[in-house]
Amino acid sequence: MSTPVDRLRELIRIPTVSRSNAEEVDWAAFDAFRATLAELFPLVHERLESELVGGASLLFRWAGKDAAAAPLVLMAHQDVVPADEPGWQFPAFEAELVRDEDGEERIRGRGAIDDKGALGSILEAVESLLAEDFTPAADVYLAFGHDEEVAGNGAPAIVDLLEARGVRPALVVDEGGAVVEGIFPGVEAPIAVVGVSEKGLAGIELSVERSGGHASTPVRDGATTRLARAIVRLDRSPAPAQLAEPTAEMIRRLGAHTKQPMRFLFTHVGLFRGLLTAVFSRLGPETNAMVRTTYAVTRLRGSAGDNVIAEKATAMVNVRIAVGSSLAEALAHIQQVVARDGVEARLVYGAEPSPVSPSEGEAWDRLSASIGALFPEAIVTPYVMLQASDGRHFTRVSDHVYRFLPFDLTTAERATLHAIDESIRVSTYLRGIEFFRDLLARS
C-alpha cells in the first residue's frame, strides 16, 4: 500500500515542465500527470466535481453543507521549471528518497517544494478527510494551474469561470511565504511569512539600432556599446525606496519580539520610517527588493554571427514593481535612464502590484489559527511577496488572497527553488498535509 511519500515521488517523476512557447511543451507529460492523480487520489476524483480549464488546468469543487456560504480555494500548480542546468547532484526527475547528513529523510527532485509538494499536500488532506466522511461547512475549490511558471493563462481561465458563476471566495490560499528562520535581525523564533500582496511584474525591452558591418572594421559607438552603457546606467539608477504598509506592519509585528533598543525602533515605524527604509535598502538583495521596484537585465541579443557587427542590440529587463508604485512609473524611470544613449524602452508585458489583503479579520484569523496549530512557535506576519504567483489573478474574485506554503524551509532549501538540487524533508511534507487538514476542518 502506497504512502503519502510514495505518492509525492510518483508526481515528481512526471516532468511537467512548462515553457513560454506552448509548442515546446511535452503535453503528454501533463496528460500522464492527470491520469496519475486519478489513480493516486480516487476519492477526490469520485466525490468531487472536476473540470479541465484552459486546456490543462484542473478545478475541483467539494460541495459543502451550506451552499450559500462563501467558499475556500486551495491552490497549487502542476508545472515545474526546467531542470537542465548543470550541477545537479542527482537526477532531477527520479525523486530519490535519501537520508541526509542530519539523519532526515528527504525527497529529492524538481517540484519537491515548488509546487508539487503543495499540490500533493492538498490532495492528501482532502483524500484523507473524504475517507473519514468529512463534509466541509462551505464549498471548497481546488485550483491547480498548469502554466504558473511562465505566467500563463491557466489560472486566469479558472478565475474567469468562477467570476462568471458568481463565486466569491472567503479565503484563497496559494504558494508564497513559508516558515523560516534568521531573516529578521534580532528575531530568533521561526517566522511564518504570509503574503498579503505581491509585487507587480513587467518585461521591458531595451533596443537600439546603429550601423552594422564586418567585424574587421568596427565602428565607434555601435549598437552594443550604446546598449551596454544604458544597462550599466540603469544598474546604477535604482528606483526610489519606499516602505509599503504591509512591510511596515511586518516590521512592527516582528519588532515586538526583538530586544531593546531595536524593539523601540521597529515598533515605532512611523517615527523612523525614513531610517528603516534606508537600512532595509542596504541590508542585502532580499531586503532591498522589499522596499523598491527592482530591475534585472536577463537576456541580451546582438548579431547572429561572431564576425558581424550588430545593427540592432536588445535586452530584456525583468521588472518587479513595488506595492505603491505602478507599471507607468517603472516604464518612465527606465525610459528616462536609457534615453541618453538613444535606447528605446518598450513594455512587452506587465501586471500591476496586487491589491493588499487584510492582515486581520476572520479570514486572516482562520489561516493564522492553522499555522499556529502546526507551527506553535512561529510568529505569523504579513509580507509582500517578491515573486509572482497564480494567486494574484484571484484578487478579482476575493479580497482575502494569501500566499503561504505550509513548510518549514531552511535557507539552503529556499535557495534550491528554480535552482539545482531541489528537495524537501519528509517531516516537512507530512506537516504540510496536516496543515491543510486543519484548515479544511475550520471551514
Side-chain angles (χ1 to χ4, degrees):
M1 186 174 180
S2 66
T3 68
V5 170
D6 296 329
R7 291 188 282 273
L8 177 59
R9 294 175 70 197
E10 284 198 51
L11 299 182
I12 292 172
R13 290 188 185 111
I14 304 172
T16 50
V17 177
S18 58
R19 300 184 186 276
S20 298
N21 185 350
E23 294 181 357
E24 297 176 357
V25 175
D26 179 7
W27 293 111
F30 285 86
D31 294 339
F33 189 80
R34 292 195 300 274
T36 301
L37 289 181
E39 293 175 4
L40 298 181
F41 304 100
L43 295 181
V44 170
H45 288 75
E46 290 171 11
R47 300 187 191 178
L48 273 60
E49 300 172 12
S50 66
E51 52 193 314
L52 200 60
V53 183
S57 290
L58 289 166
L59 180 64
F60 294 90
R61 175 179 171 266
W62 188 5
K65 297 174 183 176
D66 184 358
L72 164 68
V73 177
L74 300 179
M75 299 178 60
H77 57 87
Q78 307 167 54
D79 60 319
V80 298
V81 295
D84 48 16
E85 62 269 68
W88 283 78
Q89 298 180 36
F90 48 84
F93 292 106
E94 288 192 10
E96 295 178 351
L97 182 63
V98 299
R99 194 171 295 278
D100 63 22
E101 60 274 12
D102 296 322
E104 289 267 13
E105 275 197 307
R106 187 176 289 276
I107 306 166
R108 308 196 303 188
R110 173 62 83 221
I113 299 174
D114 184 16
D115 191 32
K116 290 180 181 177
L119 189 147
S121 295
I122 292 168
L123 287 172
E124 291 286 352
V126 174
E127 185 82 5
S128 64
L129 288 170
L130 287 169
E132 298 169 10
D133 292 323
F134 172 82
T135 301
D139 287 359
V140 175
Y141 287 89
L142 312 180
F144 302 145
H146 71 278
D147 51 7
E148 189 271 352
E149 295 292 6
V150 293
N153 296 316
I158 291 175
V159 174
D160 289 342
L161 197 62
L162 296 178
E163 189 172 38
R165 295 172 181 173
V167 176
R168 294 285 304 178
L171 173 61
V172 178
V173 181
D174 193 13
E175 63 172 336
V179 178
V180 297
E181 296 185 45
I183 67 166
F184 194 87
V187 177
E188 297 179 358
I191 302 169
V193 287
V194 179
V196 295
S197 180
E198 56 190 67
K199 297 179 79 171
L201 171 65
I204 295 176
E205 183 189 65
L206 307 182
S207 64
V208 58
E209 296 186 35
R210 302 287 286 172
S211 298
H214 198 285
S216 62
T217 54
V219 296
R220 290 180 59 83
D221 206 29
T224 54
T225 301
R226 283 176 171 253
L227 181 63
R229 278 204 305 263
I231 290 171
V232 171
R233 187 174 294 112
L234 182 62
D235 186 62
R236 295 173 178 174
S237 307
Q242 56 183 337
L243 201 62
E245 189 50 41
T247 304
E249 181 61 23
M250 180 191 74
I251 294 171
R252 288 190 201 99
R253 295 194 185 196
L254 296 179
H257 297 269
T258 61
K259 297 178 180 179
Q260 298 292 7
M262 285 193 297
R263 180 183 299 178
F264 183 81
L265 175 68
F266 291 144
T267 55
H268 292 80
V269 177
L271 292 176
F272 303 105
R273 203 177 196 98
L275 173 62
L276 289 170
T277 302
V279 169
F280 268 60
S281 69
R282 290 173 172 81
L283 278 177
E286 191 166 5
T287 55
N288 176 61
M290 292 170 64
V291 297
R292 59 163 43 94
T293 294
T294 58
Y295 310 104
V297 176
T298 55
R299 289 191 289 123
L300 297 168
R301 179 175 294 176
S303 72
D306 290 347
N307 61 347
V308 178
I309 296 174
E311 294 184 348
K312 182 177 181 179
T314 64
M316 180 60 72
V317 185
N318 186 272
V319 184
R320 303 298 169 126
I321 305 162
V323 172
S325 186
S326 66
L327 271 171
E329 288 182 0
L331 179 60
H333 177 83
I334 292 178
Q335 289 174 330
Q336 181 181 19
V337 171
V338 304
R340 187 187 308 178
D341 289 296
V343 176
E344 295 184 358
R346 176 179 68 90
L347 179 67
V348 178
Y349 61 85
E352 300 285 0
S354 297
V356 179
S357 296
S359 53
E360 57 183 8
E362 184 176 348
W364 174 267
D365 291 345
R366 179 178 167 189
L367 181 61
S368 297
S370 289
I371 295 172
L374 274 301
F375 306 94
E377 297 180 356
I379 306 165
V380 183
T381 180
Y383 90 115
V384 175
M385 186 170 162
L386 304 181
Q387 303 83 6
S389 75
D390 275 344
R392 71 187 187 279
H393 303 295
F394 280 74
T395 58
R396 276 199 277 142
V397 293
S398 178
D399 297 326
H400 302 90
V401 179
Y402 299 104
R403 295 91 171 162
F404 178 71
L405 198 61
F407 298 148
D408 53 314
L409 300 176
T410 66
T411 300
E413 287 167 339
R414 298 199 305 277
T416 66
L417 300 179
H418 288 205
I420 62 172
D421 296 342
E422 183 177 354
S423 69
I424 189 170
R425 284 164 287 150
V426 167
S427 59
T428 295
Y429 179 62
L430 297 179
R431 193 175 298 113
I433 297 171
E434 291 305 312
F435 168 86
F436 285 115
R437 279 180 56 90
D438 188 273
L439 186 63
L440 288 161
R442 296 176 192 272
S443 66

